[in-house]
């Protein structure tokens, strides 16, 4: 849980895709979180100008829910996080996938915008 907490705390305040490299310390080896495939760079983080058109982007968005917990494998944990902008009421959700490493630690493997 401490790793999940740290990842979400960083992700809710990121303001550009390059800053997502702050997540790399929590990522599985060889993965660059700033290069997560399949998404427009601006949609790789919650506090973006596409999803949060009215939110003051100098402020972090708040994490309001964690749900849809599942283990797709014995060494995999997936869940959804819902972020909320207090000032505008806008929301955005992401699915996160963590993998258990050989040393017993859990590392971020990927995340995707949840629609």
């Amino acid at each position: 849980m401490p790793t999940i907490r740290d990842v979400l705390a960083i992700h809710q305040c990121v303001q550009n895709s390059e800053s997502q490299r702050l997540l790399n310390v929590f990522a599985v080896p060889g993965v660059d979180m700033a290069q997560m495939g399949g998404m427009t760079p601006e949609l790789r983080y919650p506090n973006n100008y596409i999803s949060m058109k009215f939110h003051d982007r100098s402020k972090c968005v708040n994490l309001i829910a964690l749900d849809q917990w599942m283990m797709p494998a014995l060494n995999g944990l997936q869940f959804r996080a819902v972020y909320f902008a207090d000032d505008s009421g806008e929301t955005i959700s992401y699915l996160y996938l963590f993998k258990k490493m050989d040393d017993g630690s859990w590392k971020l493997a990927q995340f995707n915008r949840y629609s």
Side-chain angles (χ1 to χ4, degrees), residues 10-64:
I10 291 169
H11 205 210
Q12 75 187 62
C13 292
V14 168
Q15 294 180 357
N16 59 61
S17 58
E18 287 302 311
S19 296
Q20 288 197 165
R21 286 201 165 91
L22 296 169
L23 296 171
N24 286 349
V25 70
F26 302 105
V28 295
V31 174
D32 182 355
M33 288 296 146
Q35 302 298 320
M36 287 302 301
M39 283 189 280
T40 304
E42 292 78 18
L43 295 178
R44 294 177 185 157
Y45 51 94
N47 192 1
N48 68 72
Y49 69 87
I50 295 172
S51 302
M52 300 284 176
K53 291 181 174 98
F54 302 98
H55 171 60
D56 176 355
R57 293 193 51 238
S58 67
K59 300 175 184 173
C60 298
V61 293
N62 291 316
L63 178 64
I64 60 165

Side-chain angles (χ1 to χ4, degrees), residues 24-111:
N24 286 349
V25 70
F26 302 105
V28 295
V31 174
D32 182 355
M33 288 296 146
Q35 302 298 320
M36 287 302 301
M39 283 189 280
T40 304
E42 292 78 18
L43 295 178
R44 294 177 185 157
Y45 51 94
N47 192 1
N48 68 72
Y49 69 87
I50 295 172
S51 302
M52 300 284 176
K53 291 181 174 98
F54 302 98
H55 171 60
D56 176 355
R57 293 193 51 238
S58 67
K59 300 175 184 173
C60 298
V61 293
N62 291 316
L63 178 64
I64 60 165
L66 294 175
D67 60 13
Q68 299 183 17
W69 294 88
M70 65 178 287
M71 291 188 76
L74 292 176
N75 64 341
L77 176 66
Q78 181 177 297
F79 62 91
R80 180 179 77 138
V82 180
Y83 296 95
F84 177 78
D86 283 337
D87 55 355
S88 66
E90 295 164 293
T91 62
I92 188 170
S93 302
Y94 287 84
L95 280 180
Y96 294 88
L97 176 64
F98 284 78
K99 289 186 179 176
K100 189 173 187 179
M101 302 287 101
D102 290 339
D103 66 1
S105 66
W106 288 86
K107 299 284 187 175
L108 180 60
Q110 69 182 46
F111 61 88

